[in-house]
Amino acid sequence: MEILYQVIQFFSFAVNIAIALVVYFGRPKARVRRYFVLFSFSIAFWILTLYFFYRLIDPGTVYFLGKLNFVFAELIFYFLALFVDVFPDEDVVIHRRRFLLITVFAAILVYITQFTDLIDKDELIKGAERITVFGPLYSLFVIHAVFFAVYSILRLFRKFRRLIPGDIRRLQIGYFSIGWALTVILAISTQIFIPYFTGNYDFQNFGPLWTLFVVGFTAVAIIRHRLLALKIVASEFLATAIILVYVVEVGYSSTSIELAFRVVGLIITVFVSIQLIRSVRMEVHRREEIERLAEDLRVANVKLQEMSDMKSNFISIASHQLRAPIGGVRAYLSMLREGDFGKLGKKLDDVLDLNLDTLNHTLHVIETFLNVTRIEAGKMDLTKEPVDLCVMTREIYKELALTASRKKIRLVFSCPQKHAVVRADKEKLRNVVFNLVENALKYTEQGTIKTTINVGPKRVEMRVTDTGIGIAPEEVPKLFAKFVRAGGGLKISHGSGLGLYIVKTLIEAHGGEAFVESPGVGKGSTFGFRMLAGKVR
Ligand code: ADP
């Protein structure tokens, strides 16, 4: 039995110290960790004094150790009280008055315990047994222990209630409470109540083991949110444990040669362990840094996304507000131009043509922005109806005729005998065709723009071929992406690089495909699309 008790005590002592050190070195400056270390060291030394208390036989020493053991028990409760004041936060300052009150009380109690016989009157030695003769103030010790225990529970309970569900600190308090409850219930039973009521002191030997619950669970609670470092913590723990085993071995050396060997072994182990722990701590710092950077990046991303949404919203609102009035003005100008209000004469007609041209272009740009914001917001609804591509292209040719004639570019259009009907959202398809023809005009300096429509049994294909600047082969595959502007285009005009992206997205939304072909730079190009043929009404 004796061997078992010894193992229990050494094991508990070593593990308590090891856990405390691991937690402490995780973040030495944090208040909660300092109190935790003091708390678990008090426990460890409480165990150590208990060990010698049972093994030494000089009455004076045994009495001294008995009292010292009480003192460490008091320190356990004292540091526990300070610890729960900070925990589960890492670094809050304890209220000054509360700190003073607890400290003064603990100091008085420690003084009374160690230097008077009011609490521990005497320790009688009966072989392996020790019998405590309680002093008149022993009940003060018991009351103080119960009081501090209840105080800790209430304090943590209040903190727990104030935290909102889902807060990780609630979980930390939970961990601590479980460990704490296990330890206190078992310890009070074996250390105080069983000896007090039955006079059986054997169970006191198990006391040290119970402390591992509170220390272990609390350690997990403190370092829980750094689970990343678990491997690292384990290696620190291992190193500490090996050192402790060596220390014990040194203590047990029987010859001086053995002692010398073990001391050398200990020194090497300490040296290697320190190196290991150092590198491990650097690793922790690095990982923490990476975690912090990742978090920064996440926050920045969220902000960017918010800004992007705001921008899309803004463009959407602005475009809506612009589209209606400009559309209205265009309608009136068209009526004027068509002579609905009487003949105006060539000069005014020319002015009107110019204005209509500008308005068409502006409306088209607005439509482009609106389409992009709709696509980005995932809110693109298609209202499909049969649309005759020939009719639509003729209208667009008419709108762009002025620009073409100013650049002296010939617009050619060949429509098949049959109707070229597709089922599509009329406005969106118009945007597509307009984009293609307008681009052809934009990127052609002279020559012809020829639009052909081929109606197959299942599919309708539209091709807009120009004699313009053409496209380098390596740029062809990129053109339909958002904000892409190819080399040739950049020199010729200002643009957003959105037009072809919209063409592709809209055509694909209709189940079709957009394409581009070019024999090379300076050799013109063909842009177009294919989609399912619709039925003629
Ligand atoms: P933007 O015209 O505003 O630059 P687009 O998405 O409509 O944006 O076109 C993307 C790029 O594709 C243009 O910058 C241009 O380089 C190229 N491109 C488009 N159409 C033609 C064309 N008909 N001929 C040559 N290059 C073209």
Side-chain angles (χ1 to χ4, degrees):
M1 263 333 216
E2 169 61 12
I3 289 289
L4 174 72
Y5 296 153
Q6 281 198 22
V7 169
I8 286 177
Q9 294 184 347
F10 266 110
F11 177 75
S12 315
F13 174 78
V15 175
N16 268 314
I17 298 266
I19 295 179
L21 290 179
V22 166
V23 171
Y24 179 71
F25 284 116
R27 237 195 107 198
K29 288 212 179 85
R31 259 190 203 86
V32 79
R33 297 185 184 225
R34 282 195 222 155
Y35 290 132
F36 176 73
V37 168
L38 292 169
F39 172 68
S40 22
F41 267 56
S42 308
I43 292 177
F45 285 100
W46 174 77
I47 295 169
L48 201 68
T49 47
L50 206 64
Y51 176 81
F52 288 112
F53 173 69
Y54 278 103
R55 277 147 198 101
L56 299 180
I57 44 168
D58 169 55
T61 315
V62 169
Y63 183 35
F64 174 80
L65 285 171
K67 290 203 282 196
L68 199 57
N69 188 244
F70 272 110
V71 166
F72 278 118
E74 287 156 12
L75 288 181
I76 292 173
F77 284 109
Y78 169 61
F79 288 123
L80 172 72
L82 296 184
F83 174 79
V84 296
D85 253 12
V86 182
F87 184 78
D89 288 310
E90 285 260 313
D91 223 349
V92 291
V93 182
I94 299 181
H95 200 271
R96 225 182 134 74
R97 266 219 300 228
R98 185 183 295 141
F99 179 80
L100 275 178
L101 202 74
I102 298 177
T103 307
V104 169
F105 174 75
I108 294 174
L109 193 66
V110 164
Y111 179 82
I112 296 177
T113 313
Q114 192 65 52
F115 300 107
T116 73
D117 51 12
L118 291 171
I119 284 174
D120 185 355
K121 195 158 181 228
D122 203 0
E123 298 288 355
L124 307 177
I125 306 171
K126 263 198 191 164
E129 264 185 53
R130 305 284 179 268
I131 295 159
T132 305
V133 181
F134 298 118
L137 284 188
Y138 176 70
S139 47
L140 180 67
F141 173 80
V142 178
I143 291 169
H144 131 273
V146 174
F147 174 80
F148 272 71
V150 173
Y151 168 83
S152 325
I153 298 180
L154 291 183
R155 234 170 121 69
L156 280 181
F157 185 65
R158 272 188 53 193
K159 285 194 189 186
F160 185 85
R161 275 204 354 204
R162 261 189 254 141
L163 294 169
I164 48 162
D167 193 317
I168 181 130
R169 288 176 290 177
R170 276 191 155 207
L171 200 67
Q172 288 176 292
I173 295 182
Y175 264 92
F176 173 77
S177 308
I178 294 171
W180 193 89
L182 285 171
T183 300
V184 166
I185 292 167
L186 292 167
I188 290 186
S189 323
T190 57
Q191 306 311 118
I192 301 172
F193 288 114
I194 297 179
Y196 192 70
F197 290 113
T198 67
N200 184 345
Y201 286 78
D202 280 351
F203 291 100
Q204 277 192 341
N205 285 302
F206 288 95
L209 270 189
W210 314 148
T211 63
L212 296 182
F213 287 110
V214 67
V215 172
F217 274 81
T218 312
V220 172
I222 293 176
I223 56 182
R224 203 193 164 280
H225 50 289
R226 297 189 193 283
L227 281 183
L228 239 189
L230 208 63
K231 261 192 207 157
I232 293 154
V233 168
S235 58
E236 289 190 3
F237 177 82
L238 201 71
T240 320
I242 292 172
I243 292 176
L244 284 171
V245 170
Y246 255 102
V247 170
V248 173
E249 282 226 306
V250 168
Y252 274 106
S253 309
S254 45
T255 66
S256 48
I257 290 186
E258 206 174 57
L259 181 70
F261 267 113
R262 285 183 179 172
V263 167
V264 171
L266 177 62
I267 291 170
I268 293 173
T269 314
V270 169
F271 180 75
V272 172
S273 304
I274 288 173
Q275 295 302 324
L276 176 78
I277 289 172
R278 257 207 207 132
S279 71
V280 144
R281 278 172 64 187
M282 259 170 60
E283 168 104 28
V284 172
H285 283 313
R286 267 221 318 273
R287 287 192 183 198
E288 279 176 357
E289 184 70 2
I290 291 171
E291 267 180 78
R292 203 179 52 71
L293 288 177
E295 177 61 19
D296 285 356
L297 208 63
R298 201 186 56 77
V299 171
N301 256 337
V302 170
K303 266 207 190 116
L304 275 178
Q305 188 57 49
E306 275 169 12
M307 277 164 66
S308 162
D309 288 351
M310 266 167 64
K311 177 211 69 189
S312 299
N313 251 343
F314 171 75
I315 292 179
S316 162
I317 291 168
S319 310
H320 270 293
Q321 300 292 337
L322 290 173
R323 190 166 63 161
I326 293 179
V329 173
R330 181 177 69 166
Y332 275 111
L333 289 190
S334 286
M335 283 155 71
L336 267 178
R337 176 69 181 84
E338 300 295 326
D340 289 5
F341 302 103
K343 266 219 157 310
L344 298 173
K346 171 114 173 63
K347 263 193 179 165
L348 271 180
D349 278 351
D350 286 350
V351 174
L352 279 180
D353 277 341
L354 217 66
N355 280 302
L356 272 170
D357 198 30
T358 313
L359 284 185
N360 281 336
H361 176 72
T362 312
L363 272 174
H364 175 65
V365 170
I366 291 174
E367 200 57 44
T368 301
F369 281 137
L370 272 173
N371 277 328
V372 171
T373 48
R374 278 192 211 118
I375 291 168
E376 308 241 291
K379 281 192 219 150
M380 199 177 43
D381 314 312
L382 300 180
T383 323
K384 286 193 186 169
E385 56 185 314
V387 179
D388 192 327
L389 266 175
C390 291
V391 176
M392 179 181 276
T393 311
R394 251 179 233 120
E395 277 170 17
I396 291 171
Y397 261 48
K398 226 160 111 189
E399 277 176 30
L400 292 171
L402 188 68
T403 319
S405 76
R406 238 185 282 128
K407 286 183 87 173
K408 306 216 170 7
I409 290 171
R410 220 158 57 89
L411 287 179
V412 181
F413 177 40
S414 77
C415 208
Q417 295 297 314
K418 311 167 237 172
H419 295 277
V421 177
V422 290
R423 268 189 72 76
D425 183 305
K426 197 170 180 177
E427 269 316 300
K428 303 211 163 55
L429 194 62
R430 203 186 133 72
N431 200 249
V432 168
V433 178
F434 194 101
N435 249 315
L436 296 183
V437 181
E438 201 193 32
N439 267 355
L441 269 173
K442 210 159 53 171
Y443 298 110
T444 303
E445 283 310 304
Q446 55 184 11
T448 318
I449 290 166
K450 185 177 178 198
T451 303
T452 48
I453 295 175
N454 307 314
V455 182
K458 284 199 175 148
R459 303 187 138 238
V460 174
E461 182 188 66
M462 177 172 214
R463 304 172 69 87
V464 181
T465 305
D466 60 51
T467 52
I469 59 169
I471 303 152
E474 68 274 11
E475 289 187 313
V476 169
K478 301 184 233 157
L479 286 186
F480 287 110
K482 205 168 22 170
F483 297 123
V484 167
R485 307 202 62 223
L490 287 173
K491 285 178 226 140
I492 289 181
S493 77
H494 295 292
S496 58
L498 289 171
L500 289 180
Y501 163 71
I502 289 175
V503 166
K504 178 177 153 71
T505 316
L506 291 182
I507 288 297
E508 283 176 0
H510 282 86
E513 55 180 358
F515 61 84
V516 50
E517 296 156 7
S518 172
V521 176
K523 296 180 183 157
S525 45
T526 299
F527 284 82
F529 60 86
R530 297 177 196 100
M531 57 199 292
L532 277 182
K535 288 198 181 72
V536 187
R537 260 200 290 201

